[in-house]
Amino acid sequence: MSPLRYWSSSPSASYIQRVLFRSIETAASSSTQPKTHFKITLRRSAIGLGEKKKETLVSLGLHRRMQTVYHPHTPETGGKILKVKELVEVENVPIGAVRTQEQQRHERKAPRGYAVAGSRMRAFQWERTKWQ
């Protein structure tokens, strides 16, 4: 039995398939586009470090942990990254993967609205009709 058939019977099958297909799509799209930008994520805090390191983080646009910014490949950006290499995580990404702050905020938001999972009003309604 193939592993995909085994996974298709498990509850997390759709999640695994989505991840696999997304990684295949990403690999296919990234191989055709040149990697022209740095994706920089601040992983560690700058508390207790010198002022120059803090200023370097501010010049990169990083103000809080887990914040991500995108910068084009330039010698200035590369030098700044090397100054704070212990604090950040850096990836090379193509121009198509670059996200603005507004796009990142929109991706993090939960979908609007709600869904009713169940209602207890039906039980109360049955009891009301029973006693009348």
Side-chain angles (χ1 to χ4, degrees), residues 24-109:
I24 290 169
E25 289 173 2
T26 305
S29 67
S30 65
S31 64
T32 59
Q33 295 179 348
K35 298 187 185 304
T36 59
H37 283 72
F38 292 120
K39 176 183 175 184
I40 308 165
T41 305
L42 183 61
R43 293 292 179 186
R44 300 196 55 178
S45 174
I47 295 175
L49 296 178
E51 285 299 315
K52 286 196 173 192
K53 296 233 182 196
K54 290 180 184 179
E55 290 171 0
T56 303
L57 289 173
V58 170
S59 70
L60 283 171
L62 296 168
H63 301 283
R64 58 192 156 280
R65 287 186 63 226
M66 307 310 284
Q67 182 181 3
T68 301
V69 293
Y70 295 88
H71 288 286
H73 288 174
T74 60
E76 294 83 13
T77 306
K80 291 175 186 178
I81 291 170
L82 286 176
K83 292 282 186 183
V84 292
K85 64 183 177 286
E86 302 87 11
L87 307 174
V88 297
E89 179 181 299
V90 182
E91 293 179 44
N92 287 320
V93 295
I95 187 79
V98 175
R99 303 280 181 253
T100 64
Q101 285 183 345
E102 196 64 35
Q103 289 170 332
Q104 291 178 27
R105 189 175 299 122
H106 182 64
E107 289 172 359
R108 282 192 306 266
K109 279 189 176 180

